[in-house]
Each structure stands twice: as C-alpha cells, then as structure tokens.
Amino acid sequence: MAQQQAKSSPLNELCSALPSLPMRLREVGRFVAANDYDATTRSMRDLAAAAGADPASFTRLAKALGYPGWDALRAALTEARRPAQSAPFSGRTKGRQGPHSDVMLVADKLEAEAAGVARISPDAVARAARTLQTAQRIWIAGFRSCRSVAELLNYQLRLFRPDAVRLVGGSGPDDLDFGAFRAGDIVIVIGFAPYSTASVLSARAAHRSGAALIAIADTAAAPMAEGADHVLLFEAATSPGFFPSLTGAIAIAQSLAAVAFALGGVGAKRRLEQTEVRLAAMSQYFAEKG
C-alpha cells in the first residue's frame, strides 16, 4: 500500500496545489490531472495544443510544484503509473469499450511507442557504442522478455565481431559466465520493472570483475543500472497494453550495433563481408529460381 501511495504522489501533489495556483496554471494543471496518461506519452507541444495553452505554461506548472521543469514532472508521473510488482502485467489492464476500442488501442500504443523512441538520447547511445570499440569481449545479458533484445544485439554484433561477443547464459549456466567476466570486458545488461534477479546478478558480477557496465533500462534507478558506466534509458511503462514496451530497448540495441559497425571502419566491413560469403555458401537465405 505504501508503494502505491508513493507512486500516486505526483498526481496528488498536483491536485492539492490546484486551488493555490494562478488561474491559467490551474487550467493547465486540471488538464494534466484529467489526462495523466497523455501527459506521460505526448510531447509538451502536443499537450499544449490539446489544452489550448502555451507550451511554456507546462514548464511553469512543473516549477510551481517544485520540479525543475516539465521533463522532471513527466518522469515522476510516468514512475507513478508503474504497476505494483505483485501484478506487473495484469495490473496494467484497463477496460475499453466501444465498437472501435481495438483500433484505438493500437493507435494509442503506436503513438506512445513513437513518442518514447523519440525521447531516447542519441548522444548517450553513441557514447556507449564508442566504448565497445575498446572492449576485449562484449557480454550481453538479457533475461525473460529481454532475452529477445539480448539475442538480437548478440546476433548483429557477431556479424562483424564474431570472436568478441558472448550471450550470458547462451551456452550454460549464467554463473559460469559471471566467473568469466574480466577487466577490459564490457557487460551490457537489459531490463525493466519488474527486474529479473539474473539481470541484477549480471550487473553485480560485472562490478566485481572490473568489467565496464552498460545498462539498457527503463529508469536510472533500476537495480541493474546502479554504478553503470553508461545508462541508456527507454520507456517501458508509458505504452498501453497489458505488457510493458520493449520497442525502445530494441531501438537502442540496434543503434549500438549500427554505430559500433560504423566505428569499426574497414576492418568491420571486411569481417561482415566474410560473414556474408559464408552465409551464401551455406545457402542460409532462400533464393527463388526461375
């Protein structure tokens, strides 16, 4: 119960402060309170257009509530929407009615996914990708639903760095790979709330070994992001639907691979060409004859 109260506090603070706000900020505050989902998924400009307000009024509202700016208030509202761990998926479900409720759900989800991807930091991803060039080995740790993201990144990196990339738990128990982490390695851990125990153990093993840590996470406060050299944030909880979104994590993973390849220069291109020759020789891709 205490956790649920803490998560609802930004909205409670807003509602409590409404009577003391100037009239124009009060109108903006009421709009945010009535549309808290949109406030976490739509841009400030879009919100202002929908509210018939100046975009700067959302910044003024946030500051009136004690936040440094709109992004900080939106982050607090987003965090408050996270479900309790006892029902991380079923707790997200919401009843929708009407003849077009299914289409509207798809539209809302696509809009939220696009907005979330747009808020990923290109600079942060590029900085993390540059560190991959110096790594002796790259270990990628993703578990449960995040396994698909880890496997995708593992596959793309191994196309041009086949000897340097490993999937944690890919060929045996996770703990054997933890024992193989070394200084000079980079460990990439992917996770979102509720965090898998294995992801946290992977991050802690990286710290103990002296390996660098890149966390792809839904919040900087994620337990597997603690002490990370690079934290790459994606939005998991803002998208509607019963399951949190992995779209941002996939976008980050593919961006890491793309930048690492580009920075690899001629050597990376040559190794990729060698991989393509091998794939063609093994007839891995279907070729229609005729």
Side-chain angles (χ1 to χ4, degrees), residues 48-124:
D54 181 351
S57 62
F58 286 83
T59 298
R60 291 195 296 270
L61 173 66
K63 290 183 175 180
L65 297 175
Y67 294 88
W70 171 248
D71 286 343
L73 175 55
R74 179 171 61 189
L77 290 169
T78 298
E79 184 65 24
R81 290 181 60 84
R82 297 183 190 280
Q85 285 203 6
S86 58
F89 309 131
S90 62
R92 291 172 52 86
T93 59
K94 293 186 177 180
R96 289 175 177 252
Q97 297 180 348
H100 303 297
S101 59
D102 51 353
V103 177
M104 290 304 298
L105 174 58
V106 174
D108 289 347
K109 187 163 180 60
L110 292 176
E111 181 179 1
E113 303 283 8
V117 168
R119 287 192 283 268
I120 293 171
S121 170
D123 289 342

XYZ file of all heavy atoms in Angstrom, residues 48-124:
553
model
N 0.091 21.076 -25.175
C -0.311 22.475 -25.168
C -1.398 22.735 -26.196
O -2.373 23.457 -25.931
C 0.904 23.364 -25.434
N -1.252 22.120 -27.381
C -2.267 22.298 -28.418
C -3.604 21.727 -27.972
O -4.668 22.329 -28.180
C -1.805 21.629 -29.715
N -3.562 20.550 -27.323
C -4.800 19.922 -26.859
C -5.438 20.716 -25.728
O -6.670 20.771 -25.612
C -4.514 18.489 -26.402
N -4.613 21.343 -24.908
C -5.130 22.099 -23.760
C -5.461 23.547 -24.124
O -6.049 24.267 -23.308
C -4.111 22.074 -22.629
N -5.057 23.968 -25.337
C -5.254 25.357 -25.706
C -4.394 26.289 -24.883
O -4.828 27.381 -24.491
N -3.158 25.858 -24.610
C -2.274 26.619 -23.728
C -0.925 26.838 -24.391
O -0.589 26.209 -25.395
C -2.090 25.884 -22.401
N -0.140 27.720 -23.810
C 1.230 27.968 -24.237
C 2.112 26.821 -23.723
O 2.008 26.448 -22.544
C 1.693 29.294 -23.632
C 3.117 29.661 -24.043
O 3.794 28.818 -24.653
O 3.539 30.776 -23.726
N 2.979 26.219 -24.574
C 3.840 25.132 -24.089
C 4.626 25.503 -22.833
O 4.833 24.667 -21.945
C 4.775 24.874 -25.280
C 3.979 25.279 -26.470
C 3.165 26.464 -26.025
N 5.032 26.770 -22.736
C 5.823 27.184 -21.569
C 5.028 27.093 -20.275
O 5.616 27.002 -19.182
C 6.320 28.618 -21.765
N 3.708 27.078 -20.376
C 2.894 27.001 -19.161
C 3.060 25.649 -18.465
O 2.893 25.554 -17.247
C 1.416 27.255 -19.487
O 0.918 26.278 -20.376
N 3.420 24.612 -19.225
C 3.647 23.304 -18.606
C 4.945 23.323 -17.792
O 5.033 22.700 -16.741
C 3.692 22.209 -19.680
C 2.344 21.872 -20.241
C 1.786 22.637 -21.244
C 1.617 20.803 -19.752
C 0.541 22.340 -21.766
C 0.370 20.495 -20.249
C -0.177 21.273 -21.255
N 5.936 24.057 -18.298
C 7.163 24.223 -17.520
C 6.891 25.027 -16.251
O 7.379 24.692 -15.168
C 8.234 24.931 -18.372
O 8.538 24.116 -19.507
C 9.504 25.160 -17.564
N 6.097 26.090 -16.375
C 5.768 26.906 -15.203
C 4.972 26.100 -14.183
O 5.172 26.253 -12.967
C 4.982 28.154 -15.636
C 5.831 29.154 -16.423
C 5.141 30.514 -16.498
N 3.890 30.445 -17.240
C 3.794 30.628 -18.555
N 4.889 30.880 -19.275
N 2.622 30.583 -19.152
N 4.085 25.247 -14.662
C 3.319 24.395 -13.751
C 4.254 23.475 -12.975
O 4.134 23.338 -11.742
C 2.303 23.560 -14.541
C 1.551 22.493 -13.738
C 0.650 23.133 -12.687
C 0.729 21.601 -14.675
N 5.179 22.829 -13.685
C 6.126 21.923 -13.021
C 6.928 22.655 -11.957
O 7.108 22.156 -10.838
C 7.044 21.284 -14.058
N 7.410 23.845 -12.276
C 8.210 24.609 -11.322
C 7.369 25.055 -10.129
O 7.861 25.108 -8.991
C 8.846 25.807 -12.020
C 9.945 25.400 -13.004
C 10.616 26.617 -13.620
C 11.776 26.196 -14.506
N 12.462 27.342 -15.136
N 6.096 25.351 -10.370
C 5.209 25.736 -9.268
C 5.000 24.579 -8.303
O 4.713 24.796 -7.114
C 3.862 26.211 -9.820
N 5.167 23.345 -8.801
C 5.010 22.162 -7.957
C 6.333 21.707 -7.341
O 6.375 20.685 -6.646
C 4.405 21.019 -8.778
C 3.001 21.257 -9.334
C 2.570 20.096 -10.216
C 2.000 21.458 -8.198
N 7.410 22.450 -7.638
C 8.703 22.121 -7.039
C 9.610 21.280 -7.902
O 10.649 20.802 -7.425
N 9.257 21.082 -9.164
C 10.102 20.316 -10.083
C 10.951 21.276 -10.909
O 10.526 22.405 -11.183
C 9.245 19.446 -11.007
C 8.500 18.354 -10.293
C 7.230 18.586 -9.760
C 9.058 17.088 -10.139
C 6.532 17.585 -9.082
C 8.370 16.080 -9.474
C 7.111 16.328 -8.953
O 6.439 15.345 -8.292
N 12.135 20.846 -11.338
C 12.992 21.761 -12.115
C 12.442 22.097 -13.490
O 12.803 23.103 -14.081
C 14.322 21.004 -12.221
C 13.971 19.570 -11.964
C 12.815 19.586 -11.022
N 11.563 21.268 -14.019
C 10.994 21.518 -15.337
C 9.969 20.466 -15.689
O 9.703 19.543 -14.903
N 9.386 20.588 -16.879
C 8.319 19.668 -17.280
C 8.818 18.233 -17.390
O 8.120 17.288 -17.012
C 7.709 20.118 -18.614
C 6.762 19.100 -19.171
C 6.913 18.336 -20.286
C 5.502 18.696 -18.599
N 5.854 17.494 -20.454
C 4.957 17.695 -19.427
C 4.792 19.097 -17.462
C 3.739 17.089 -19.166
C 3.567 18.495 -17.208
C 3.054 17.499 -18.048
N 10.036 18.033 -17.916
C 10.544 16.664 -18.064
C 10.610 15.949 -16.719
O 10.327 14.748 -16.632
C 11.931 16.675 -18.710
C 11.874 16.982 -20.197
O 10.778 16.864 -20.777
O 12.913 17.341 -20.776
N 10.984 16.664 -15.669
C 11.060 16.047 -14.343
C 9.677 15.679 -13.823
O 9.489 14.606 -13.222
C 11.747 16.998 -13.368
N 8.690 16.547 -14.050
C 7.327 16.237 -13.616
C 6.774 15.070 -14.417
O 6.148 14.170 -13.856
C 6.426 17.459 -13.778
C 4.933 17.244 -13.476
C 4.722 16.665 -12.082
C 4.154 18.552 -13.642
N 7.033 15.072 -15.715
C 6.553 13.954 -16.541
C 7.194 12.642 -16.103
O 6.527 11.597 -16.054
C 6.865 14.217 -18.018
C 6.400 13.081 -18.928
C 6.515 13.451 -20.380
N 7.882 13.748 -20.759
C 8.218 14.255 -21.937
N 7.287 14.562 -22.819
N 9.485 14.483 -22.227
N 8.486 12.678 -15.770
C 9.154 11.461 -15.297
C 8.516 10.959 -14.007
O 8.345 9.747 -13.813
C 10.642 11.732 -15.087
N 8.157 11.891 -13.116
C 7.511 11.490 -11.860
C 6.134 10.895 -12.124
O 5.740 9.904 -11.489
C 7.398 12.698 -10.932
N 5.395 11.476 -13.057
C 4.083 10.935 -13.408
C 4.213 9.553 -14.039
O 3.412 8.655 -13.778
C 3.367 11.886 -14.370
C 2.900 13.218 -13.780
C 2.462 14.166 -14.896
C 1.754 13.007 -12.794
N 5.246 9.389 -14.875
C 5.486 8.089 -15.506
C 5.797 7.034 -14.459
O 5.275 5.919 -14.490
C 6.661 8.193 -16.501
O 6.316 9.129 -17.522
C 6.958 6.837 -17.138
N 6.664 7.386 -13.512
C 7.034 6.439 -12.454
C 5.817 6.062 -11.619
O 5.655 4.913 -11.203
C 8.124 7.052 -11.574
C 8.662 6.117 -10.507
C 9.382 4.911 -11.086
O 9.862 5.003 -12.229
O 9.451 3.888 -10.397
N 4.932 7.028 -11.393
C 3.746 6.767 -10.578
C 2.788 5.810 -11.262
O 1.983 5.152 -10.595
C 3.029 8.081 -10.270
N 2.865 5.710 -12.590
C 1.970 4.826 -13.330
C 2.446 3.375 -13.319
O 1.733 2.485 -13.769
C 1.845 5.290 -14.779
C 1.081 6.602 -14.950
C 0.987 6.973 -16.422
N 0.304 5.952 -17.194
C -1.011 5.850 -17.319
N -1.802 6.725 -16.731
N -1.553 4.889 -18.032
N 3.663 3.135 -12.847
C 4.169 1.766 -12.845
C 3.330 0.892 -11.916
O 3.041 1.283 -10.791
C 5.633 1.710 -12.380
C 6.592 2.441 -13.297
C 8.008 2.279 -12.815
N 8.908 3.150 -13.548
C 9.387 2.885 -14.769
N 9.045 1.759 -15.355
N 10.189 3.725 -15.368
N 2.978 -0.313 -12.370
C 2.172 -1.189 -11.526
C 2.985 -1.769 -10.380
O 4.204 -1.857 -10.443
C 1.740 -2.314 -12.494
C 2.843 -2.348 -13.506
C 3.301 -0.922 -13.672
N 2.289 -2.157 -9.314
C 2.946 -2.849 -8.206
C 3.494 -4.179 -8.703
O 2.924 -4.815 -9.592
C 1.947 -3.085 -7.075
N 4.615 -4.622 -8.128
C 5.249 -5.842 -8.616
C 4.390 -7.075 -8.435
O 4.584 -8.062 -9.110
C 6.591 -6.034 -7.926
C 7.667 -5.108 -8.436
C 9.053 -5.648 -8.178
O 9.233 -6.767 -7.710
N 10.046 -4.845 -8.470
N 3.426 -7.028 -7.524
C 2.578 -8.201 -7.315
C 1.701 -8.480 -8.525
O 1.241 -9.592 -8.718
C 1.690 -7.989 -6.077
O 0.894 -6.825 -6.245
N 1.458 -7.480 -9.358
C 0.664 -7.666 -10.568
C 1.245 -6.786 -11.665
O 0.593 -5.847 -12.136
C -0.801 -7.322 -10.304
N 2.487 -7.072 -12.100
C 3.148 -6.160 -13.038
C 2.505 -6.111 -14.412
O 2.665 -5.133 -15.132
C 4.568 -6.731 -13.119
C 4.422 -8.173 -12.775
C 3.332 -8.225 -11.752
N 1.779 -7.159 -14.784
C 1.181 -7.198 -16.118
C -0.344 -7.058 -16.058
O -0.916 -6.209 -16.726
C 1.567 -8.496 -16.830
C 3.050 -8.755 -16.809
C 3.547 -9.978 -16.423
C 3.950 -7.753 -17.157
C 4.910 -10.215 -16.392
C 5.315 -7.971 -17.126
C 5.798 -9.211 -16.747
N -0.977 -7.884 -15.223
C -2.441 -7.783 -15.128
C -2.865 -6.446 -14.544
O -3.948 -5.936 -14.844
C -3.004 -8.933 -14.287
O -2.510 -8.876 -12.959
N -1.991 -5.841 -13.718
C -2.314 -4.552 -13.134
C -2.343 -3.427 -14.153
O -2.851 -2.343 -13.876
N -1.795 -3.681 -15.347
C -1.788 -2.664 -16.397
C -3.072 -2.663 -17.228
O -3.310 -1.726 -17.986
C -0.599 -2.899 -17.348
C 0.760 -2.643 -16.730
C 1.875 -3.088 -17.675
N 1.732 -2.527 -19.007
C 2.191 -1.333 -19.375
N 2.810 -0.569 -18.491
N 2.046 -0.898 -20.611
N -3.863 -3.711 -17.100
C -5.030 -3.833 -17.973
C -6.092 -2.805 -17.617
O -6.329 -2.500 -16.451
C -5.646 -5.242 -17.875
O -6.032 -5.495 -16.515
C -4.642 -6.297 -18.300
N -6.717 -2.274 -18.651
C -7.802 -1.313 -18.485
C -8.943 -1.695 -19.410
O -8.728 -2.050 -20.567
C -7.330 0.113 -18.800
C -6.319 0.664 -17.807
C -6.014 2.121 -18.111
C -5.060 2.700 -17.075
N -4.757 4.125 -17.347
N -10.145 -1.604 -18.887
C -11.308 -1.926 -19.708
C -11.515 -0.883 -20.787
O -11.457 0.314 -20.531
N -11.719 -1.346 -21.996
C -12.017 -0.452 -23.115
C -13.304 -0.923 -23.765
O -13.469 -2.113 -24.024
C -10.877 -0.445 -24.136
C -9.615 0.269 -23.652
C -8.498 0.117 -24.663
N -7.309 0.847 -24.241
C -6.883 1.959 -24.816
N -7.555 2.488 -25.829
N -5.788 2.556 -24.387
N -14.168 0.015 -24.042
C -15.453 -0.328 -24.634
C -15.675 0.501 -25.885
O -15.023 1.532 -26.094
C -16.586 -0.093 -23.631
C -16.485 -0.976 -22.384
C -17.619 -0.722 -21.411
O -18.352 0.247 -21.550
N -17.754 -1.597 -20.437
N -16.602 0.050 -26.701
C -16.931 0.774 -27.915
C -16.600 -0.040 -29.145
O -15.748 -0.948 -29.090
N -17.215 0.270 -30.253
C -17.026 -0.524 -31.473
C -15.621 -0.440 -32.048
O -15.199 -1.304 -32.796
C -18.049 0.083 -32.446
C -18.308 1.461 -31.925
C -18.185 1.360 -30.441
N -14.888 0.617 -31.728
C -13.542 0.785 -32.288
C -12.473 0.779 -31.197
O -11.378 1.312 -31.399
C -13.469 2.092 -33.070
C -14.481 2.196 -34.165
N -14.506 1.346 -35.253
C -15.536 3.044 -34.328
C -15.507 1.667 -36.047
N -16.154 2.690 -35.502
N -12.768 0.168 -30.068
C -11.816 0.184 -28.963
C -10.526 -0.550 -29.320
O -9.436 -0.165 -28.865
C -12.436 -0.444 -27.711
O -12.827 -1.788 -27.966
N -10.627 -1.590 -30.149
C -9.427 -2.321 -30.535
C -8.520 -1.475 -31.418
O -7.303 -1.415 -31.226
C -9.795 -3.624 -31.242
C -10.795 -3.431 -32.375
O -11.319 -2.310 -32.543
O -11.051 -4.414 -33.104
N -9.132 -0.766 -32.358
C -8.345 0.111 -33.240
C -7.724 1.250 -32.439
O -6.564 1.626 -32.653
C -9.231 0.659 -34.375
C -8.439 1.637 -35.247
C -9.780 -0.484 -35.222
N -8.484 1.796 -31.497
C -7.969 2.894 -30.687
C -6.804 2.441 -29.824
O -5.847 3.200 -29.609
C -9.087 3.473 -29.818
C -10.141 4.230 -30.595
S -9.426 5.575 -31.579
C -8.724 6.589 -30.280
N -6.865 1.212 -29.321
C -5.757 0.692 -28.524
C -4.496 0.611 -29.366
O -3.406 1.007 -28.924
C -6.104 -0.686 -27.958
C -4.977 -1.412 -27.211
C -4.462 -0.573 -26.051
C -5.445 -2.773 -26.724
N -4.638 0.100 -30.589
C -3.483 0.017 -31.483
C -2.932 1.413 -31.771
O -1.717 1.651 -31.718
C -3.846 -0.693 -32.794
C -2.672 -0.643 -33.773
C -4.236 -2.137 -32.527
N -3.830 2.359 -32.061
C -3.394 3.726 -32.366
C -2.689 4.357 -31.172
O -1.637 5.002 -31.317
C -4.593 4.570 -32.784
N -3.259 4.186 -29.971
C -2.641 4.744 -28.771
C -1.276 4.123 -28.520
O -0.327 4.807 -28.117
C -3.544 4.518 -27.552
C -4.799 5.375 -27.585
O -4.854 6.314 -28.405
O -5.729 5.095 -26.805
N -1.190 2.815 -28.752
C 0.080 2.128 -28.498
C 1.146 2.593 -29.487
O 2.286 2.870 -29.093
C -0.112 0.614 -28.584
C 1.115 -0.181 -28.160
C 0.783 -1.615 -27.876
C 2.028 -2.393 -27.445
N 2.636 -1.840 -26.222
N 0.799 2.698 -30.750
C 1.768 3.147 -31.745
C 2.232 4.572 -31.461
O 3.415 4.902 -31.612
C 1.170 3.047 -33.148
C 0.925 1.628 -33.669
C 0.230 1.681 -35.022
C 2.229 0.845 -33.777
N 1.304 5.415 -31.049
C 1.662 6.800 -30.732
C 2.621 6.853 -29.545
O 3.612 7.593 -29.552
C 0.407 7.611 -30.433
C 0.692 9.077 -30.124
C -0.569 9.877 -29.843
O -1.674 9.302 -29.862
O -0.446 11.090 -29.583
N 2.313 6.052 -28.516
C 3.177 6.033 -27.333
C 4.551 5.472 -27.657
O 5.574 5.967 -27.161
C 2.513 5.216 -26.226
N 4.600 4.422 -28.483
C 5.886 3.831 -28.850
C 6.743 4.848 -29.602
O 7.939 5.003 -29.328
C 5.665 2.595 -29.739
C 4.791 1.508 -29.157
C 5.499 0.665 -28.125
O 6.623 1.003 -27.740
O 4.922 -0.342 -27.696
N 6.137 5.549 -30.567
C 6.883 6.530 -31.351
C 7.398 7.663 -30.471
O 8.542 8.116 -30.611
C 6.005 7.080 -32.473
N 6.551 8.112 -29.536
C 6.964 9.201 -28.644
C 8.100 8.748 -27.738
O 9.047 9.504 -27.472
C 5.778 9.677 -27.819
N 8.020 7.517 -27.258
C 9.074 7.005 -26.382
C 10.402 6.871 -27.096
O 11.458 7.224 -26.551
N 10.388 6.363 -28.321
C 11.620 6.225 -29.096
C 12.237 7.599 -29.358
O 13.456 7.769 -29.302
C 11.349 5.486 -30.420
C 12.551 5.587 -31.357
C 11.025 4.019 -30.146
N 11.389 8.593 -29.624
C 11.884 9.940 -29.912
C 12.602 10.555 -28.717
O 13.422 11.464 -28.886
C 10.730 10.841 -30.345
N 12.314 10.051 -27.504
C 12.948 10.618 -26.311
C 14.226 9.885 -25.899
O 14.855 10.239 -24.900
C 11.939 10.651 -25.155
C 10.873 11.727 -25.320
C 10.066 11.930 -24.057
N 9.076 10.903 -23.847
C 7.810 10.970 -24.267
N 7.399 12.031 -24.936
N 6.956 9.998 -24.031
N 14.636 8.866 -26.642
C 15.919 8.206 -26.376
C 17.049 9.176 -26.714
O 16.988 9.884 -27.714
C 16.043 6.917 -27.210
C 15.022 5.875 -26.738
C 17.447 6.332 -27.113
C 14.922 4.657 -27.640
N 18.069 9.199 -25.892
C 19.185 10.128 -26.094
C 20.184 9.591 -27.118
O 20.900 8.625 -26.829
C 19.911 10.379 -24.767
O 21.115 11.090 -24.994
N 20.267 10.186 -28.312
C 21.260 9.734 -29.300
C 22.690 9.873 -28.788
O 23.540 9.014 -29.051
C 21.007 10.645 -30.508
C 19.607 11.151 -30.338
C 19.419 11.271 -28.851
N 22.967 10.954 -28.061
C 24.332 11.174 -27.556
C 24.743 10.070 -26.591
O 25.874 9.571 -26.640
C 24.416 12.531 -26.853
C 24.348 13.698 -27.836
O 24.576 13.464 -29.031
O 24.064 14.822 -27.400
N 23.821 9.689 -25.701
C 24.138 8.651 -24.720
C 24.411 7.315 -25.410
O 25.352 6.592 -25.041
C 23.001 8.507 -23.717
